[in-house]
Amino acid sequence: MNTTGIDVQESNERLLKALFSNRGLTYLVEVGAAELGNPVLVVDPTYHYAARAGIELDDADDSAFARIIRSESIDEVIADEGIRYIEETGVDEELARAHGAVLRHNPLYELDALTQDVVAGGICLGRVMTLAKNHPFGERDHAIFDRLVALVAQELQKGGFLSSEDSQMGPYFLARLLDDEQPNPMHTARRMKLVGFSPLSTLFVVTLRRREGDMDGSCAQRVRAHLSGFLAHSLSTIYDNELVCLVSRADEAVLPARDEEALARAAASNGLLVGISNAFSEATDVRPHLEQARSAIRYGTTFTKILDDTGVYRYCEYTYMEMLDICNDHVNLMNYCHPAIWALWEYDQAHGTELVETLFAYIQNSCNTARTSALLSLHKNTLLYRLGRIREVTGNDLASGEDLFLFHLSIRVLIYLGIFETRTKPHSSADLHLPAE
């Protein structure tokens, strides 16, 4: 074996050692750049940099390479002029046809470039490029670069860049968007176009979490199969052990009932908890709306005795709980409990009655005695008697909407604080099959 062959073998061994170190893609690319002695860039299919190494610049460096690298470092994506160069010169097509690296002179960097697609299972995961910045390419560079590309492909698959279940670019795009604390609207729109996602006018984040265990690939695949109709015009990805869906609908203020029914069936079949965010319009707002969906699960599972528990929770139904959470960090929430309700609760404790429970059900059912009686399994006369006692204890005739709002809020405070636990689950009139009074 000649000296060059020995050198290449030793470099390949160091690259393999970097892969097995489990220190990630960035470390592997750093070792690759050191072995090649030239910059190495790894770009995902949406032209976002996955890793870069060997690009250290002197302040005085005013080369074309330095100018572009400084520009792209702001947003970590290939600059628009670079995208145009790729599209107009047919680089994508040439790489797709090639069985290995493609050598071109890149006029933007004013350097020769070796570029190769990273392919796994027939899917392009991105591309690797090295630039002849420090020395021209030779036989050794081609050999080491080929090995580096093969190892990058293994690292990308190992690191979940794309999994076998998420074999399209959309899931990866959504995961990166969720990672980005301040996504750039222009770049986000461009990437959506690249992955073929054209959302309708209204967006929701729906997150699905297993009641027990992690949301692995097989479970996510099963859930997606159950929700195939629901996931039209949507993206989904496994993110922090949840199946997170960016769902788009046309001009809907809330997710339609048919969608919630589909989610409830999937939740029952797969042992899931489901959170639904409020509606929004810009994909760049996906992170805060994921937090809304997660909050819906947190509050919904904590206060399941307040609403029917289907395992599907809408954030808009629990915003008051979040407000109470925020207030509870700063003030004594008992300050917001109306004295009449506290007096009613103390009366229940002293006499073994359920007047707070009765008032809560009465308010929940819009002061409809027929529905309240059915909910509490009481004869109507018994309910009327209890309402009379409530009026006496509170000194209030229950005729003022303002008073009823304050009473309702006060009872919710007691529930939040764990002082009062309701034993009933309020229903709608449709659930009870009762006519209005």
Side-chain angles (χ1 to χ4, degrees):
M1 181 181 293
N2 60 33
T3 305
T4 300
I6 294 173
D7 182 35
V8 169
Q9 181 178 338
E10 291 175 348
S11 291
N12 287 343
E13 288 175 356
R14 285 190 285 269
L15 288 172
L16 194 61
K17 184 177 179 180
L19 176 71
F20 290 145
S21 73
N22 290 322
R23 293 174 64 179
L25 177 64
T26 299
Y27 178 67
L28 175 61
V29 171
E30 287 173 352
V31 173
E35 294 301 323
L36 288 164
N38 273 315
V40 175
L41 317 173
V42 179
V43 184
D44 71 29
T46 66
Y47 304 117
H48 194 290
Y49 282 107
R52 300 192 293 182
I55 59 171
E56 296 76 14
L57 303 172
D58 293 332
D59 292 340
D61 190 344
D62 192 36
S63 64
F65 170 79
R67 291 195 299 271
I68 291 177
I69 290 297
R70 290 190 184 106
S71 171
E72 293 179 341
S73 294
I74 297 173
D75 296 307
E76 288 296 317
V77 295
I78 292 181
D80 288 340
E81 59 182 329
I83 301 294
R84 286 194 297 272
Y85 168 76
I86 292 170
E87 293 175 345
E88 293 172 2
T89 59
V91 173
D92 282 332
E93 292 79 3
E94 185 176 359
L95 287 169
R97 291 192 303 268
H99 298 285
V102 171
L103 175 62
R104 271 193 175 203
H105 179 76
N106 188 310
L108 298 178
Y109 291 114
E110 296 180 359
L111 296 170
D112 287 342
L114 270 175
T115 309
Q116 187 168 335
D117 279 346
V118 180
V119 179
I123 299 167
C124 178
L125 305 184
R127 60 188 45 149
V128 185
M129 174 190 288
T130 183
L131 296 159
K133 177 178 181 290
N134 301 320
H135 61 79
F137 298 135
E139 181 180 346
R140 173 184 179 278
D141 298 281
H142 284 267
I144 294 174
F145 184 71
D146 285 344
R147 183 61 167 167
L148 174 63
V149 173
L151 298 183
V152 166
Q154 293 184 49
E155 180 63 43
L156 293 181
Q157 294 174 85
K158 179 178 68 176
F161 189 86
L162 286 177
S163 68
S164 58
E165 291 78 25
D166 298 325
S167 58
Q168 301 300 316
M169 299 302 102
Y172 178 68
F173 158 73
L174 179 55
R176 292 302 295 262
L177 186 60
L178 289 166
D179 281 336
D180 196 341
E181 295 184 3
Q182 292 184 316
N184 181 294
M186 181 182 68
H187 294 152
T188 300
R190 186 175 72 189
R191 291 175 211 156
M192 286 197 297
K193 182 178 179 182
L194 289 167
V195 302
F197 179 51
S198 300
L200 302 175
S201 57
T202 308
L203 298 170
F204 301 87
V205 171
V206 176
T207 189
L208 302 98
R209 180 187 305 167
R210 295 188 69 181
R211 290 179 182 268
E212 296 181 4
D214 292 338
M215 177 66 75
D216 57 19
S218 60
C219 181
Q221 191 173 25
R222 188 167 61 250
V223 173
R224 286 192 182 102
H226 279 133
L227 294 173
S228 56
F230 169 80
L231 290 174
H233 306 294
S234 304
L235 295 176
S236 63
T237 190
I238 299 176
Y239 188 78
D240 290 346
N241 289 322
E242 298 173 358
L243 181 62
V244 178
C245 308
L246 178 59
V247 179
S248 75
R249 295 292 182 264
D251 301 322
E252 301 282 1
V254 296
L255 206 60
R258 65 181 180 277
D259 287 334
E260 289 201 34
E261 291 166 3
L263 289 168
R265 289 193 297 270
S269 300
N270 298 280
L272 304 176
L273 300 170
V274 182
I276 304 172
S277 78
N278 287 345
F280 59 108
S281 59
E282 299 296 334
T284 49
D285 292 330
V286 67
R287 273 176 63 98
H289 286 84
L290 172 59
E291 291 310 309
Q292 287 187 1
R294 288 173 168 172
S295 293
I297 292 177
R298 182 169 69 253
Y299 294 119
T301 53
T302 303
F303 301 98
T304 52
K305 295 196 174 189
I306 295 175
L307 297 169
D308 268 343
D309 188 11
T310 62
V312 179
Y313 311 106
R314 291 189 296 170
Y315 175 73
C316 60
E317 293 176 343
Y318 295 96
T319 51
Y320 77 96
M321 285 292 178
E322 190 162 80
M323 286 192 293
L324 291 177
D325 247 355
I326 295 168
C327 291
N328 195 42
D329 290 337
H330 302 284
V331 297
N332 181 358
L333 284 180
M334 283 304 298
N335 294 340
Y336 302 123
C337 181
H338 196 287
I341 296 303
W342 185 247
L344 198 64
W345 184 84
E346 289 186 320
Y347 182 92
D348 280 342
Q349 304 312 298
H351 298 86
T353 53
E354 293 186 334
L355 299 185
V356 174
E357 179 83 43
T358 302
L359 178 58
F360 181 61
Y362 183 63
I363 296 172
Q364 282 288 102
N365 285 279
S366 302
C367 304
N368 183 307
T369 55
R371 291 202 298 264
T372 306
S373 297
L375 179 65
L376 296 175
S377 300
L378 296 176
H379 190 278
K380 187 173 181 179
N381 288 339
T382 303
L383 174 64
L384 293 175
Y385 171 78
R386 287 190 183 182
L387 291 174
R389 294 296 300 137
I390 291 170
R391 291 183 178 98
E392 291 176 9
V393 174
T394 61
N396 190 288
D397 64 4
L398 307 182
S400 165
E402 185 71 16
D403 288 348
L404 290 177
F405 166 75
L406 295 173
F407 288 176
H408 196 181
L409 177 62
S410 299
I411 295 173
R412 295 281 184 172
V413 168
L414 295 181
I415 293 171
Y416 173 86
L417 293 173
I419 295 172
F420 166 64
E421 185 173 311
T422 176
R423 62 177 176 81
T424 59
K425 295 179 180 179
H427 297 263
S428 69
S429 56
D431 294 326
L432 293 173
H433 305 292
L434 289 173
E437 288 184 319

